């Protein structure tokens, strides 16, 4: 049996750390252009209590998504000790393309994957580089597509990257803008036909695009100062309800289809969207098995990194694999579950044995 193995990971963590205090002079408005009823101090306190975010990372001006993805990809190849010329595919998940500064045009041609292939100096014309847009679950879907390519025999090595500069599409008059951040994460997925119990075991994905398609969208500034629909927007309460209702079910479907037990799980990596939401998703998932979550089952980095969309899971995985998070260590044969939710609305889950 052929399975796909994560041979190396990498990440680009922007150096600019923006604390919540940076928003003390902000003026937030509702979507109807009316000011928020609470003071800025109360708004920040409520925000921190709900999201768990105390700071987030922004890319420096001129640092684009493809540049961050390139560095994350280089690290993954270095850790895997892999020859770039032997890569069969490069898949890059993102949502807004390259933007060198806030308000810059969204540059997506050529693809970010093509730019990263060029940056890696790969001459092999049969290394196919392409992009994927799937909201926040994009990196996991890219991982699933890479796995399918390996299982089908059309690839043996696939570089999977998630990269985003959400700071470039933020409306400063929208309190939700404080959630989002920048970053990039990557892994090299390789063919494993010698140790069949290791690797990607099962995956599922779903898309709900009726009323759910408008839960996360592009819109104008809340204060009416800019009319063009250029900023990332979301109906936060609807997103929360949808995620809490559907993500635990998707996680269960993925685990059950694999034939493995919830008691075997060593860690669960959930898209870093909102601390309270992720904790609620975890509780609901275990409740489906009449269990309660064990301690140290869910690593998190949203508190100091914010929500970097497609980059949250691969950067978190890299931090755990590199031993950067205290109390979280993975060993060979540990069973882990990935899950993500985001614009579309889309959900996916992946079961993986280290």
């Amino acid at each position: 049996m052929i399975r796909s193995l994560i041979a190396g990971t990498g990440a680009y963590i922007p150096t600019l750390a923006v604390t919540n205090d940076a928003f003390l002079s902000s003026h937030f408005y509702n979507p109807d252009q009316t000011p928020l009823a609470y003071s800025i101090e109360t708004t920040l306190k409520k925000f921190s209590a709900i999201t768990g975010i105390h700071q987030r990372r922004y890319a420096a001006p001129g640092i684009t998504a493809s540049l961050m993805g390139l560095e994350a990809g280089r690290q993954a190849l270095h850790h895997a000790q892999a020859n770039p010329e032997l890569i069969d595919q490069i898949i890059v998940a993102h949502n807004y393309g390259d933007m060198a500064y806030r308000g810059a045009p969204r540059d997506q041609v050529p693809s970010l994957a093509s730019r990263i292939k060029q940056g890696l100096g790969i001459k092999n014309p049969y290394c196919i580089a392409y992009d994927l847009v799937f909201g926040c679950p994009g990196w996991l879907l890219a991982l699933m597509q890479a796995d399918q390519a390996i299982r089908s025999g059309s690839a043996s090595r696939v570089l999977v990257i998630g990269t985003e500069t959400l700071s470039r599409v933020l409306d400063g008059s929208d309190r939700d803008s404080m959630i989002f951040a920048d970053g990039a994460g990557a892994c090299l997925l390789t063919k494993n036909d010698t140790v069949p119990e290791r690797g990607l075991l099962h995956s599922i994905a779903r898309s709900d695009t009726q009323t759910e398609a408008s839960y996360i969208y592009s819109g104008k500034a809340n204060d009416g100062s800019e009319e063009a629909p250029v900023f990332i927007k979301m109906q936060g309460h609807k997103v929360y309800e949808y995620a809490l209702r559907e993500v635990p079910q998707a996680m269960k479907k993925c685990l059950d289809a694999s034939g493995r037990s919830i008691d075997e799980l060593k860690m669960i990596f959930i898209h870093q969207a909102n601390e309270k939401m992720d904790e609620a998703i975890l509780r609901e998932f275990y409740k489906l098995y009449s269990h309660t979550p064990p301690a140290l089952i869910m690593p998190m980095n949203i508190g100091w990194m914010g929500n970097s969309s497609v980059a949250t899971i691969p950067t978190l995985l890299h931090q755990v694999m590199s031993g950067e998070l205290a109390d979280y260590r993975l060993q060979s044969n540990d069973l882990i579950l990935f899950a993500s939710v985001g614009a579309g609305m889309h959900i996916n889950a992946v079961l993986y044995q280290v």
Side-chain angles (χ1 to χ4, degrees):
M1 179 181 293
I2 296 175
R3 295 201 185 279
S4 304
L5 195 66
I6 295 175
T9 62
Y12 180 93
I13 310 300
T15 56
L16 180 58
V18 179
T19 67
N20 290 353
D21 285 348
F23 298 91
L24 280 170
S25 60
S26 297
H27 298 281
F28 293 130
Y29 292 78
N30 296 303
D32 63 2
Q33 299 184 18
T34 58
L36 291 188
Y38 301 109
S39 68
I40 187 62
E41 291 80 9
T42 300
T43 298
L44 291 176
K45 185 176 181 180
K46 288 178 175 289
F47 171 83
S48 180
I50 293 172
T51 66
I53 298 173
H54 303 285
Q55 71 174 33
R56 71 285 295 143
R57 298 299 181 106
Y58 289 170
I63 300 298
T64 61
S66 62
L67 288 175
M68 294 193 303
L70 172 61
E71 178 57 30
R74 280 176 174 154
Q75 287 187 25
L77 294 174
H78 174 74
H79 290 155
Q81 297 183 330
N83 181 352
E85 290 295 335
L86 298 180
I87 298 174
D88 299 300
Q89 294 183 15
I90 300 173
I91 311 176
V92 177
H94 65 89
N95 295 291
Y96 292 97
D98 271 355
M99 301 178 71
Y101 53 89
R102 182 183 180 276
R106 300 175 188 177
D107 184 1
Q108 302 188 71
V109 178
S111 70
L112 271 60
S114 295
R115 300 174 197 193
I116 290 172
K117 178 183 175 181
Q118 181 186 53
L120 291 171
I122 297 174
K123 298 178 181 179
N124 175 14
Y126 298 102
C127 170
I128 306 305
Y130 65 95
D131 291 359
L132 186 153
V133 176
F134 196 69
C136 293
W139 184 82
L140 269 188
L141 189 69
L143 191 73
M144 293 161 62
Q145 290 190 354
D147 172 65
Q148 290 166 4
I150 290 173
R151 288 174 184 258
S152 72
S154 63
S156 295
R157 301 168 189 84
V158 183
L159 184 60
V160 184
I161 299 171
T163 183
E164 198 72 87
T165 50
L166 291 179
S167 66
R168 312 276 157 84
V169 291
L170 299 183
D171 169 15
S173 66
D174 185 347
R175 62 182 164 187
D176 288 341
S177 67
M178 295 189 291
I179 292 174
F180 300 111
D182 305 337
C187 77
L188 180 67
L189 204 65
T190 61
K191 178 180 178 180
N192 169 28
D193 54 8
T194 58
V195 191
E197 66 272 15
R198 296 184 61 202
L200 200 154
L201 305 182
H202 195 73
S203 64
I204 69 158
R206 66 177 286 171
S207 295
D208 295 285
T209 59
Q210 300 300 308
T211 58
E212 300 89 353
S214 63
Y215 290 176
I216 301 175
Y217 60 99
S218 292
K220 63 182 182 180
N222 279 11
D223 63 4
S225 61
E226 299 181 68
E227 290 298 322
V230 296
F231 302 110
I232 185 171
K233 298 287 179 176
M234 67 178 178
Q235 300 182 58
H237 189 63
K238 289 185 179 294
V239 170
Y240 185 95
E241 290 180 332
Y242 171 83
L244 198 57
R245 181 177 67 250
E246 305 297 350
V247 175
Q249 295 288 345
M251 294 165 66
K252 185 177 189 299
K253 184 174 183 179
C254 181
L255 181 62
D256 290 350
S258 73
R260 305 298 289 268
S261 165
I262 191 171
D263 296 320
E264 298 179 75
L265 288 174
K266 177 63 180 288
M267 283 186 206
I268 298 175
F269 293 77
I270 299 179
H271 164 52
Q272 302 292 281
N274 175 313
E275 183 179 81
K276 297 301 181 185
M277 186 177 83
D278 286 1
E279 290 173 347
I281 287 172
L282 185 70
R283 288 194 301 270
E284 291 300 313
F285 172 59
Y286 272 87
K287 190 182 295 183
L288 294 173
Y289 294 92
S290 300
H291 284 44
T292 56
L296 302 178
I297 191 72
M298 185 175 69
M300 300 195 78
N301 62 12
I302 190 172
W304 68 94
M305 288 186 60
N307 175 353
S308 56
S309 186
V310 294
T312 67
I313 289 180
T315 54
L316 182 61
L317 175 65
H318 175 70
Q319 288 171 338
V320 170
M321 298 293 282
S322 302
E324 297 176 19
L325 296 186
D327 301 323
Y328 290 96
R329 296 289 185 274
L330 285 173
Q331 299 179 343
S332 181
N333 293 318
D334 281 344
L335 190 67
I336 60 178
L337 181 65
F338 301 102
S340 189
V341 57
M345 292 290 290
H346 303 308
I347 294 173
N348 46 25
V350 171
L351 189 67
Y352 182 86
Q353 186 149 330
V354 179

Coordinates of all heavy atoms in Angstrom, one line a residue, residues 15-44:
T15 N 8.4 39.0 11.5 CA 9.0 39.5 12.7 C 8.2 40.6 13.4 O 8.5 40.9 14.6 CB 10.4 40.0 12.4 OG1 10.3 41.0 11.3 CG2 11.3 38.9 11.9
L16 N 7.3 41.2 12.7 CA 6.6 42.3 13.3 C 5.4 41.8 14.1 O 4.4 41.3 13.6 CB 6.0 43.2 12.2 CG 5.2 44.4 12.6 CD1 6.0 45.3 13.5 CD2 4.7 45.2 11.4
A17 N 5.6 41.9 15.5 CA 4.5 41.5 16.4 C 3.7 42.7 16.8 O 4.2 43.7 17.3 CB 5.2 40.9 17.7
V18 N 2.4 42.6 16.6 CA 1.4 43.7 16.8 C 0.5 43.3 18.0 O -0.3 42.4 17.9 CB 0.6 44.0 15.6 CG1 -0.4 45.2 15.9 CG2 1.5 44.4 14.4
T19 N 0.7 44.0 19.1 CA -0.1 43.7 20.3 C -1.5 44.3 20.2 O -1.7 45.2 19.4 CB 0.6 44.1 21.6 OG1 0.7 45.6 21.6 CG2 2.0 43.6 21.7
N20 N -2.4 43.9 21.1 CA -3.7 44.5 21.1 C -3.7 46.0 21.5 O -4.6 46.8 21.0 CB -4.6 43.8 22.1 CG -5.0 42.4 21.7 OD1 -4.7 42.0 20.6 ND2 -5.6 41.6 22.6
D21 N -2.7 46.4 22.2 CA -2.6 47.8 22.6 C -2.4 48.7 21.3 O -2.7 49.9 21.4 CB -1.4 48.1 23.5 CG -1.7 47.6 24.9 OD1 -2.9 47.3 25.2 OD2 -0.8 47.5 25.8
A22 N -1.9 48.1 20.3 CA -1.7 48.9 19.0 C -3.1 49.4 18.5 O -3.1 50.3 17.6 CB -1.0 48.1 18.0
F23 N -4.2 48.9 19.0 CA -5.5 49.3 18.5 C -6.2 50.2 19.4 O -7.4 50.6 19.2 CB -6.4 48.0 18.3 CG -5.8 47.1 17.2 CD1 -5.0 46.0 17.6 CD2 -6.2 47.2 15.9 CE1 -4.5 45.1 16.7 CE2 -5.7 46.3 15.0 CZ -4.8 45.3 15.3
L24 N -5.5 50.7 20.4 CA -6.2 51.6 21.4 C -6.7 52.9 20.8 O -7.6 53.5 21.3 CB -5.2 51.9 22.6 CG -5.1 50.8 23.6 CD1 -3.9 51.1 24.6 CD2 -6.4 50.7 24.4
S25 N -6.1 53.3 19.7 CA -6.5 54.6 19.1 C -7.5 54.3 17.9 O -7.9 55.3 17.2 CB -5.3 55.4 18.6 OG -4.6 54.6 17.6
S26 N -7.9 53.1 17.8 CA -8.8 52.7 16.7 C -10.2 53.2 17.0 O -10.6 53.4 18.1 CB -8.8 51.2 16.4 OG -7.5 50.7 16.1
H27 N -11.0 53.4 15.9 CA -12.4 53.7 16.0 C -13.2 52.6 15.2 O -13.1 52.6 13.9 CB -12.7 55.1 15.4 CG -12.0 56.2 16.2 ND1 -12.5 56.7 17.4 CD2 -10.9 56.9 15.9 CE1 -11.7 57.6 17.8 NE2 -10.7 57.7 16.9
F28 N -13.9 51.7 15.9 CA -14.5 50.6 15.2 C -16.0 50.9 15.0 O -16.7 51.6 15.8 CB -14.4 49.4 16.1 CG -13.0 48.8 16.2 CD1 -12.5 48.5 17.4 CD2 -12.2 48.6 15.1 CE1 -11.2 48.0 17.5 CE2 -10.9 48.2 15.1 CZ -10.4 47.8 16.4
Y29 N -16.5 50.4 13.9 CA -17.9 50.6 13.5 C -18.5 49.3 13.1 O -17.9 48.3 12.8 CB -17.9 51.5 12.2 CG -17.5 53.0 12.5 CD1 -16.2 53.3 12.6 CD2 -18.4 54.0 12.6 CE1 -15.7 54.6 12.8 CE2 -18.0 55.3 12.8 CZ -16.7 55.6 12.9 OH -16.3 56.9 13.2
N30 N -19.9 49.3 13.2 CA -20.7 48.2 12.8 C -20.8 48.2 11.2 O -20.5 49.2 10.6 CB -22.1 48.2 13.4 CG -22.0 48.1 14.9 OD1 -21.5 47.1 15.4 ND2 -22.6 49.1 15.6
P31 N -21.2 47.1 10.6 CA -21.3 47.1 9.2 C -22.3 48.2 8.6 O -22.2 48.6 7.5 CB -21.9 45.7 8.9 CG -21.3 44.9 10.0 CD -21.4 45.8 11.2
D32 N -23.2 48.7 9.5 CA -24.2 49.7 9.0 C -23.6 51.1 9.3 O -24.3 52.1 9.2 CB -25.5 49.6 9.8 CG -25.4 49.8 11.3 OD1 -24.3 50.0 11.8 OD2 -26.4 49.6 12.0
Q33 N -22.3 51.2 9.5 CA -21.5 52.4 9.7 C -21.9 53.2 11.0 O -21.5 54.3 11.2 CB -21.8 53.4 8.5 CG -21.3 52.8 7.2 CD -21.4 53.7 6.0 OE1 -21.5 55.0 6.2 NE2 -21.4 53.2 4.8
T34 N -22.5 52.5 12.0 CA -22.7 53.1 13.3 C -21.6 52.7 14.2 O -21.1 51.6 14.1 CB -24.0 52.6 13.9 OG1 -24.0 51.2 14.0 CG2 -25.2 53.1 13.0
P35 N -21.1 53.6 15.1 CA -20.0 53.3 16.0 C -20.4 52.2 16.9 O -21.6 52.0 17.3 CB -19.8 54.6 16.7 CG -20.4 55.6 15.9 CD -21.6 55.0 15.2
L36 N -19.4 51.4 17.3 CA -19.6 50.3 18.4 C -20.1 51.0 19.7 O -19.6 52.1 20.0 CB -18.4 49.5 18.6 CG -17.9 48.6 17.5 CD1 -16.8 47.7 18.0 CD2 -19.0 47.7 16.9
A37 N -20.9 50.3 20.4 CA -21.5 50.9 21.6 C -20.5 50.9 22.7 O -20.6 51.7 23.7 CB -22.7 50.1 22.0
Y38 N -19.5 50.0 22.7 CA -18.5 49.9 23.8 C -17.3 50.8 23.6 O -17.0 51.2 22.4 CB -18.0 48.5 23.9 CG -19.1 47.5 24.2 CD1 -19.5 46.6 23.2 CD2 -19.8 47.4 25.4 CE1 -20.5 45.6 23.5 CE2 -20.8 46.5 25.7 CZ -21.1 45.6 24.7 OH -22.1 44.7 24.9
S39 N -16.6 51.2 24.6 CA -15.4 51.9 24.5 C -14.3 51.0 23.9 O -14.5 49.8 23.9 CB -14.9 52.3 25.9 OG -14.5 51.2 26.7
I40 N -13.3 51.6 23.4 CA -12.2 50.8 22.8 C -11.6 49.8 23.8 O -11.2 48.7 23.5 CB -11.1 51.7 22.1 CG1 -10.1 50.8 21.4 CG2 -10.5 52.6 23.1 CD1 -10.7 50.0 20.2
E41 N -11.4 50.3 25.1 CA -10.8 49.4 26.1 C -11.7 48.2 26.4 O -11.2 47.1 26.5 CB -10.6 50.2 27.4 CG -9.6 51.3 27.3 CD -10.1 52.6 26.7 OE1 -11.3 52.7 26.4 OE2 -9.2 53.5 26.4
T42 N -13.0 48.4 26.5 CA -13.9 47.3 26.7 C -13.9 46.4 25.5 O -14.0 45.1 25.6 CB -15.4 47.8 26.9 OG1 -15.3 48.6 28.1 CG2 -16.3 46.7 27.1
T43 N -13.9 46.9 24.3 CA -13.9 46.1 23.0 C -12.6 45.2 23.0 O -12.7 44.1 22.7 CB -13.9 47.1 21.8 OG1 -15.1 47.8 21.8 CG2 -13.8 46.2 20.5
L44 N -11.5 45.8 23.4 CA -10.3 45.0 23.3 C -10.3 43.9 24.4 O -9.8 42.8 24.2 CB -9.1 45.9 23.6 CG -8.7 46.9 22.5 CD1 -7.6 47.8 22.9 CD2 -8.4 46.2 21.2

